Amino acid sequence: MEQIEKERFFTMAETYDAMAQTLVPMYDMLQNEIFNIVPFDKHQKITVIDLGAGSGILLEKILSLYPNSTGYWIDFSDAFLDAAKDRLHKFNDRVSYILSPLEDDWQIQLKRRPDLITSVSAIHHLEHEGKIALYNKSYNLLNNNGWFINIDEMKTLTQEAYKNSLVYWVKFVDNAREGITDELMDYYNKWKNHFDNWRVRNIENIDTPKIKGDDLHESFLNQIRWLQEAGFKNVDVFVKYHLWCLIVGIGIGDVATEVTDSSNLKVILLLKQLT
Ligand SMILES: C[S@@+](CC[C@H](N)C(=O)[O-])C[C@H]1O[C@@H](n2cnc3c(N)ncnc32)[C@H](O)[C@@H]1O
């Protein structure tokens, strides 16, 4: 199926990087909650994957807070890759970049199993089957008792409350305008142009069937069920703020912890899928 407005992932990178922390409600708060949830010691050598990592804002936080950690940036946009490289170059080889659609076999490029897989505002772009496949893959990849955390735009229990959460974001962006400095006004206007299309697609055409690349919002109830069906334990919604939910699952501790190269990883993955 053709992706709708796919080019926005390649033209919006600079604008998104400049404005997300101002124009996505509770953007930093939701990400910072991760550090109130995961049990890792500050000095632990954790490996992190960020799915749809964009300009690397979350990876920057994680790599700064855990100085012995390493991270994988995974995303399909070369424009976001450039923005992420600018932001993350200070971490040198602690970051590996995998330019790939989330639906593809990016896992064969991993050299280490992750202890933490995160994603912010990305998985809602995948189709139903793509989301389920990604949850299954994440479960199969995670190290013993590894954590999976998805912060994303999700539908809620009623269509009325869902619509309300969409309208809230539009008002939030409108109200933010008066706090935007002259320097950032160009970025604000570019965001607003893009967001006007978002509003038409998601609010005015709320009943029009969505297609790949659109905002394929799925209910948090379905998504926590998919995590449970993938095998995750302690699956729950830890935070919900209007359109955004932070959902969590913990991998079951029945996989090998040490993986030295990607071919070995693939074998272990296959074994786990078979058992
Ligand atoms: C709204 S941005 C969020 C970026 C970042 N996670 C953040 O919160 O700042 C969505 C990101 O998902 C990426 N993305 C969307 N669909 C994707 C797909 N099918 N495969 C890989 N990346 C995708 C886009 O390129 C973009 O970087």
PDB file of all heavy atoms in Angstrom, residues 3 9 16 27 31 50 52-54 57 75-77 80 100-103 120-122 125-126, ligand 1:
ATOM      1  N   GLN A   3       2.370   4.772   0.993  1.00  0.00           N
ATOM      2  CA  GLN A   3       2.387   5.520   2.245  1.00  0.00           C
ATOM      3  C   GLN A   3       1.873   6.929   2.031  1.00  0.00           C
ATOM      4  O   GLN A   3       2.217   7.575   1.047  1.00  0.00           O
ATOM      5  CB  GLN A   3       3.813   5.633   2.765  1.00  0.00           C
ATOM      6  CG  GLN A   3       4.248   4.400   3.482  1.00  0.00           C
ATOM      7  CD  GLN A   3       5.049   4.766   4.718  1.00  0.00           C
ATOM      8  OE1 GLN A   3       4.815   5.790   5.315  1.00  0.00           O
ATOM      9  NE2 GLN A   3       5.945   3.904   5.096  1.00  0.00           N
ATOM     10  N   PHE A   9       8.635  12.473   6.826  1.00  0.00           N
ATOM     11  CA  PHE A   9       9.666  11.934   7.706  1.00  0.00           C
ATOM     12  C   PHE A   9      11.060  12.364   7.242  1.00  0.00           C
ATOM     13  O   PHE A   9      12.033  12.210   7.955  1.00  0.00           O
ATOM     14  CB  PHE A   9       9.594  10.409   7.757  1.00  0.00           C
ATOM     15  CG  PHE A   9       8.293   9.904   8.322  1.00  0.00           C
ATOM     16  CD1 PHE A   9       7.483   9.058   7.597  1.00  0.00           C
ATOM     17  CD2 PHE A   9       7.881  10.302   9.584  1.00  0.00           C
ATOM     18  CE1 PHE A   9       6.284   8.605   8.119  1.00  0.00           C
ATOM     19  CE2 PHE A   9       6.685   9.853  10.117  1.00  0.00           C
ATOM     20  CZ  PHE A   9       5.876   9.005   9.372  1.00  0.00           C
ATOM     21  N   TYR A  16      11.183  19.119  13.460  1.00  0.00           N
ATOM     22  CA  TYR A  16      10.770  18.272  14.588  1.00  0.00           C
ATOM     23  C   TYR A  16      11.787  18.382  15.720  1.00  0.00           C
ATOM     24  O   TYR A  16      11.421  18.537  16.886  1.00  0.00           O
ATOM     25  CB  TYR A  16      10.609  16.819  14.124  1.00  0.00           C
ATOM     26  CG  TYR A  16       9.921  15.972  15.166  1.00  0.00           C
ATOM     27  CD1 TYR A  16       8.531  15.904  15.245  1.00  0.00           C
ATOM     28  CD2 TYR A  16      10.664  15.281  16.113  1.00  0.00           C
ATOM     29  CE1 TYR A  16       7.902  15.160  16.227  1.00  0.00           C
ATOM     30  CE2 TYR A  16      10.042  14.528  17.098  1.00  0.00           C
ATOM     31  CZ  TYR A  16       8.659  14.474  17.141  1.00  0.00           C
ATOM     32  OH  TYR A  16       8.042  13.736  18.127  1.00  0.00           O
ATOM     33  N   TYR A  27       6.272  16.139  26.361  1.00  0.00           N
ATOM     34  CA  TYR A  27       7.288  15.365  25.626  1.00  0.00           C
ATOM     35  C   TYR A  27       8.429  14.928  26.561  1.00  0.00           C
ATOM     36  O   TYR A  27       8.763  13.743  26.647  1.00  0.00           O
ATOM     37  CB  TYR A  27       7.810  16.230  24.483  1.00  0.00           C
ATOM     38  CG  TYR A  27       8.875  15.600  23.622  1.00  0.00           C
ATOM     39  CD1 TYR A  27       8.538  14.839  22.507  1.00  0.00           C
ATOM     40  CD2 TYR A  27      10.223  15.781  23.906  1.00  0.00           C
ATOM     41  CE1 TYR A  27       9.511  14.273  21.707  1.00  0.00           C
ATOM     42  CE2 TYR A  27      11.208  15.222  23.113  1.00  0.00           C
ATOM     43  CZ  TYR A  27      10.841  14.475  22.012  1.00  0.00           C
ATOM     44  OH  TYR A  27      11.816  13.919  21.220  1.00  0.00           O
ATOM     45  N   GLN A  31       9.212  11.056  28.565  1.00  0.00           N
ATOM     46  CA  GLN A  31      10.491  10.356  28.386  1.00  0.00           C
ATOM     47  C   GLN A  31      11.229  10.207  29.717  1.00  0.00           C
ATOM     48  O   GLN A  31      11.804   9.160  30.002  1.00  0.00           O
ATOM     49  CB  GLN A  31      11.369  11.110  27.393  1.00  0.00           C
ATOM     50  CG  GLN A  31      10.770  11.143  26.008  1.00  0.00           C
ATOM     51  CD  GLN A  31      11.703  11.748  24.973  1.00  0.00           C
ATOM     52  OE1 GLN A  31      12.871  11.991  25.229  1.00  0.00           O
ATOM     53  NE2 GLN A  31      11.181  11.977  23.786  1.00  0.00           N
ATOM     54  N   ASP A  50      16.589   2.283  20.467  1.00  0.00           N
ATOM     55  CA  ASP A  50      15.458   3.212  20.347  1.00  0.00           C
ATOM     56  C   ASP A  50      14.872   3.063  18.942  1.00  0.00           C
ATOM     57  O   ASP A  50      15.554   3.279  17.940  1.00  0.00           O
ATOM     58  CB  ASP A  50      15.896   4.654  20.634  1.00  0.00           C
ATOM     59  CG  ASP A  50      14.680   5.572  20.835  1.00  0.00           C
ATOM     60  OD1 ASP A  50      13.605   5.055  21.230  1.00  0.00           O
ATOM     61  OD2 ASP A  50      14.800   6.783  20.601  1.00  0.00           O
ATOM     62  N   GLY A  52      12.583   4.030  15.850  1.00  0.00           N
ATOM     63  CA  GLY A  52      12.044   5.286  15.310  1.00  0.00           C
ATOM     64  C   GLY A  52      12.643   6.444  16.090  1.00  0.00           C
ATOM     65  O   GLY A  52      11.944   7.350  16.548  1.00  0.00           O
ATOM     66  N   ALA A  53      13.968   6.405  16.230  1.00  0.00           N
ATOM     67  CA  ALA A  53      14.679   7.251  17.204  1.00  0.00           C
ATOM     68  C   ALA A  53      14.763   8.719  16.798  1.00  0.00           C
ATOM     69  O   ALA A  53      15.182   9.563  17.601  1.00  0.00           O
ATOM     70  CB  ALA A  53      16.079   6.694  17.427  1.00  0.00           C
ATOM     71  N   GLY A  54      14.421   9.045  15.555  1.00  0.00           N
ATOM     72  CA  GLY A  54      14.377  10.441  15.136  1.00  0.00           C
ATOM     73  C   GLY A  54      15.716  11.151  15.310  1.00  0.00           C
ATOM     74  O   GLY A  54      16.771  10.617  14.928  1.00  0.00           O
ATOM     75  N   ILE A  57      16.832  12.482  20.619  1.00  0.00           N
ATOM     76  CA  ILE A  57      16.635  13.198  21.891  1.00  0.00           C
ATOM     77  C   ILE A  57      16.584  12.217  23.069  1.00  0.00           C
ATOM     78  O   ILE A  57      17.240  12.416  24.094  1.00  0.00           O
ATOM     79  CB  ILE A  57      15.366  14.088  21.835  1.00  0.00           C
ATOM     80  CG1 ILE A  57      15.540  15.171  20.775  1.00  0.00           C
ATOM     81  CG2 ILE A  57      15.073  14.709  23.203  1.00  0.00           C
ATOM     82  CD1 ILE A  57      14.302  16.035  20.512  1.00  0.00           C
ATOM     83  N   ASP A  75      15.934   3.858  12.571  1.00  0.00           N
ATOM     84  CA  ASP A  75      14.936   4.734  11.944  1.00  0.00           C
ATOM     85  C   ASP A  75      15.138   4.599  10.421  1.00  0.00           C
ATOM     86  O   ASP A  75      16.201   4.178   9.973  1.00  0.00           O
ATOM     87  CB  ASP A  75      15.197   6.197  12.369  1.00  0.00           C
ATOM     88  CG  ASP A  75      13.979   7.109  12.206  1.00  0.00           C
ATOM     89  OD1 ASP A  75      13.550   7.322  11.053  1.00  0.00           O
ATOM     90  OD2 ASP A  75      13.467   7.608  13.220  1.00  0.00           O
ATOM     91  N   PHE A  76      14.121   4.941   9.635  1.00  0.00           N
ATOM     92  CA  PHE A  76      14.303   4.809   8.179  1.00  0.00           C
ATOM     93  C   PHE A  76      14.597   6.137   7.474  1.00  0.00           C
ATOM     94  O   PHE A  76      14.734   6.171   6.256  1.00  0.00           O
ATOM     95  CB  PHE A  76      13.132   4.089   7.521  1.00  0.00           C
ATOM     96  CG  PHE A  76      11.806   4.826   7.484  1.00  0.00           C
ATOM     97  CD1 PHE A  76      11.636   6.094   8.013  1.00  0.00           C
ATOM     98  CD2 PHE A  76      10.708   4.220   6.883  1.00  0.00           C
ATOM     99  CE1 PHE A  76      10.408   6.750   7.959  1.00  0.00           C
ATOM    100  CE2 PHE A  76       9.471   4.856   6.815  1.00  0.00           C
ATOM    101  CZ  PHE A  76       9.333   6.123   7.357  1.00  0.00           C
ATOM    102  N   SER A  77      14.703   7.223   8.245  1.00  0.00           N
ATOM    103  CA  SER A  77      14.828   8.542   7.609  1.00  0.00           C
ATOM    104  C   SER A  77      16.283   9.030   7.627  1.00  0.00           C
ATOM    105  O   SER A  77      16.871   9.214   8.707  1.00  0.00           O
ATOM    106  CB  SER A  77      13.943   9.548   8.350  1.00  0.00           C
ATOM    107  OG  SER A  77      14.343  10.850   8.054  1.00  0.00           O
ATOM    108  N   PHE A  80      16.522  12.405   9.480  1.00  0.00           N
ATOM    109  CA  PHE A  80      16.602  12.262  10.939  1.00  0.00           C
ATOM    110  C   PHE A  80      17.968  11.676  11.331  1.00  0.00           C
ATOM    111  O   PHE A  80      18.498  11.988  12.405  1.00  0.00           O
ATOM    112  CB  PHE A  80      15.459  11.384  11.470  1.00  0.00           C
ATOM    113  CG  PHE A  80      14.222  12.170  11.828  1.00  0.00           C
ATOM    114  CD1 PHE A  80      13.073  12.096  11.045  1.00  0.00           C
ATOM    115  CD2 PHE A  80      14.187  12.990  12.944  1.00  0.00           C
ATOM    116  CE1 PHE A  80      11.931  12.824  11.369  1.00  0.00           C
ATOM    117  CE2 PHE A  80      13.046  13.725  13.281  1.00  0.00           C
ATOM    118  CZ  PHE A  80      11.915  13.636  12.491  1.00  0.00           C
ATOM    119  N   SER A 100      16.897   1.805   8.702  1.00  0.00           N
ATOM    120  CA  SER A 100      16.053   0.694   8.235  1.00  0.00           C
ATOM    121  C   SER A 100      14.601   0.955   8.620  1.00  0.00           C
ATOM    122  O   SER A 100      14.326   1.516   9.686  1.00  0.00           O
ATOM    123  CB  SER A 100      16.517  -0.601   8.916  1.00  0.00           C
ATOM    124  OG  SER A 100      15.550  -1.623   8.761  1.00  0.00           O
ATOM    125  N   PRO A 101      13.660   0.498   7.767  1.00  0.00           N
ATOM    126  CA  PRO A 101      12.266   0.489   8.225  1.00  0.00           C
ATOM    127  C   PRO A 101      12.140  -0.444   9.439  1.00  0.00           C
ATOM    128  O   PRO A 101      12.836  -1.470   9.501  1.00  0.00           O
ATOM    129  CB  PRO A 101      11.499  -0.087   7.026  1.00  0.00           C
ATOM    130  CG  PRO A 101      12.400   0.102   5.855  1.00  0.00           C
ATOM    131  CD  PRO A 101      13.802   0.007   6.386  1.00  0.00           C
ATOM    132  N   LEU A 102      11.270  -0.080  10.361  1.00  0.00           N
ATOM    133  CA  LEU A 102      11.075  -0.928  11.542  1.00  0.00           C
ATOM    134  C   LEU A 102      10.509  -2.293  11.154  1.00  0.00           C
ATOM    135  O   LEU A 102      10.648  -3.266  11.887  1.00  0.00           O
ATOM    136  CB  LEU A 102      10.132  -0.235  12.536  1.00  0.00           C
ATOM    137  CG  LEU A 102      10.679   1.063  13.145  1.00  0.00           C
ATOM    138  CD1 LEU A 102       9.620   1.733  14.020  1.00  0.00           C
ATOM    139  CD2 LEU A 102      11.944   0.795  13.955  1.00  0.00           C
ATOM    140  N   GLU A 103       9.878  -2.349   9.980  1.00  0.00           N
ATOM    141  CA  GLU A 103       9.261  -3.601   9.535  1.00  0.00           C
ATOM    142  C   GLU A 103      10.298  -4.577   8.969  1.00  0.00           C
ATOM    143  O   GLU A 103       9.992  -5.741   8.743  1.00  0.00           O
ATOM    144  CB  GLU A 103       8.228  -3.331   8.431  1.00  0.00           C
ATOM    145  CG  GLU A 103       7.039  -2.471   8.851  1.00  0.00           C
ATOM    146  CD  GLU A 103       7.259  -0.970   8.620  1.00  0.00           C
ATOM    147  OE1 GLU A 103       8.432  -0.518   8.647  1.00  0.00           O
ATOM    148  OE2 GLU A 103       6.264  -0.250   8.426  1.00  0.00           O
ATOM    149  N   VAL A 120       9.443   6.235  20.961  1.00  0.00           N
ATOM    150  CA  VAL A 120       8.603   7.408  21.250  1.00  0.00           C
ATOM    151  C   VAL A 120       7.954   7.891  19.950  1.00  0.00           C
ATOM    152  O   VAL A 120       8.656   8.205  18.971  1.00  0.00           O
ATOM    153  CB  VAL A 120       9.431   8.558  21.875  1.00  0.00           C
ATOM    154  CG1 VAL A 120       8.527   9.765  22.147  1.00  0.00           C
ATOM    155  CG2 VAL A 120      10.106   8.123  23.165  1.00  0.00           C
ATOM    156  N   SER A 121       6.652   7.927  19.943  1.00  0.00           N
ATOM    157  CA  SER A 121       5.879   8.529  18.830  1.00  0.00           C
ATOM    158  C   SER A 121       6.252   7.968  17.466  1.00  0.00           C
ATOM    159  O   SER A 121       6.328   8.719  16.484  1.00  0.00           O
ATOM    160  CB  SER A 121       6.066  10.056  18.809  1.00  0.00           C
ATOM    161  OG  SER A 121       5.527  10.612  19.965  1.00  0.00           O
ATOM    162  N   ALA A 122       6.521   6.695  17.373  1.00  0.00           N
ATOM    163  CA  ALA A 122       6.913   6.108  16.085  1.00  0.00           C
ATOM    164  C   ALA A 122       6.061   4.900  15.702  1.00  0.00           C
ATOM    165  O   ALA A 122       5.670   4.754  14.538  1.00  0.00           O
ATOM    166  CB  ALA A 122       8.388   5.705  16.128  1.00  0.00           C
ATOM    167  N   HIS A 125       2.937   4.694  13.436  1.00  0.00           N
ATOM    168  CA  HIS A 125       3.007   4.799  11.973  1.00  0.00           C
ATOM    169  C   HIS A 125       2.955   3.426  11.303  1.00  0.00           C
ATOM    170  O   HIS A 125       2.807   3.340  10.089  1.00  0.00           O
ATOM    171  CB  HIS A 125       4.281   5.531  11.548  1.00  0.00           C
ATOM    172  CG  HIS A 125       4.312   6.961  11.998  1.00  0.00           C
ATOM    173  ND1 HIS A 125       3.385   7.890  11.569  1.00  0.00           N
ATOM    174  CD2 HIS A 125       5.124   7.614  12.859  1.00  0.00           C
ATOM    175  CE1 HIS A 125       3.639   9.055  12.138  1.00  0.00           C
ATOM    176  NE2 HIS A 125       4.683   8.918  12.929  1.00  0.00           N
ATOM    177  N   LEU A 126       3.115   2.362  12.081  1.00  0.00           N
ATOM    178  CA  LEU A 126       3.091   1.013  11.497  1.00  0.00           C
ATOM    179  C   LEU A 126       1.661   0.499  11.421  1.00  0.00           C
ATOM    180  O   LEU A 126       0.822   0.831  12.254  1.00  0.00           O
ATOM    181  CB  LEU A 126       3.904   0.022  12.343  1.00  0.00           C
ATOM    182  CG  LEU A 126       5.350   0.397  12.675  1.00  0.00           C
ATOM    183  CD1 LEU A 126       6.052  -0.803  13.319  1.00  0.00           C
ATOM    184  CD2 LEU A 126       6.118   0.854  11.466  1.00  0.00           C
TER     185      LEU A 126
HETATM  186  C1  LIG B   1       7.342  11.726  15.312  1.00  0.00           C
HETATM  187  S1  LIG B   1       8.966  11.205  14.965  1.00  0.00           S
HETATM  188  C2  LIG B   1       9.551  10.735  16.579  1.00  0.00           C
HETATM  189  C3  LIG B   1      11.045  10.757  16.684  1.00  0.00           C
HETATM  190  C4  LIG B   1      11.619  10.469  18.073  1.00  0.00           C
HETATM  191  N1  LIG B   1      11.287   9.143  18.536  1.00  0.00           N
HETATM  192  C5  LIG B   1      11.153  11.506  19.053  1.00  0.00           C
HETATM  193  O1  LIG B   1      10.211  11.240  19.787  1.00  0.00           O
HETATM  194  O2  LIG B   1      11.706  12.597  19.070  1.00  0.00           O
HETATM  195  C6  LIG B   1       8.646   9.612  14.214  1.00  0.00           C
HETATM  196  C7  LIG B   1       9.918   8.914  13.791  1.00  0.00           C
HETATM  197  O3  LIG B   1       9.590   7.598  13.366  1.00  0.00           O
HETATM  198  C8  LIG B   1      10.273   7.322  12.146  1.00  0.00           C
HETATM  199  N2  LIG B   1       9.481   6.315  11.410  1.00  0.00           N
HETATM  200  C9  LIG B   1       8.180   6.404  11.030  1.00  0.00           C
HETATM  201  N3  LIG B   1       7.786   5.280  10.406  1.00  0.00           N
HETATM  202  C10 LIG B   1       8.884   4.462  10.393  1.00  0.00           C
HETATM  203  C11 LIG B   1       9.123   3.149   9.873  1.00  0.00           C
HETATM  204  N4  LIG B   1       8.160   2.480   9.265  1.00  0.00           N
HETATM  205  N5  LIG B   1      10.354   2.625  10.022  1.00  0.00           N
HETATM  206  C12 LIG B   1      11.353   3.329  10.640  1.00  0.00           C
HETATM  207  N6  LIG B   1      11.182   4.574  11.158  1.00  0.00           N
HETATM  208  C13 LIG B   1       9.956   5.128  11.028  1.00  0.00           C
HETATM  209  C14 LIG B   1      10.362   8.660  11.442  1.00  0.00           C
HETATM  210  O4  LIG B   1      11.405   8.697  10.488  1.00  0.00           O
HETATM  211  C15 LIG B   1      10.620   9.589  12.629  1.00  0.00           C
HETATM  212  O5  LIG B   1      11.985   9.714  12.916  1.00  0.00           O
END
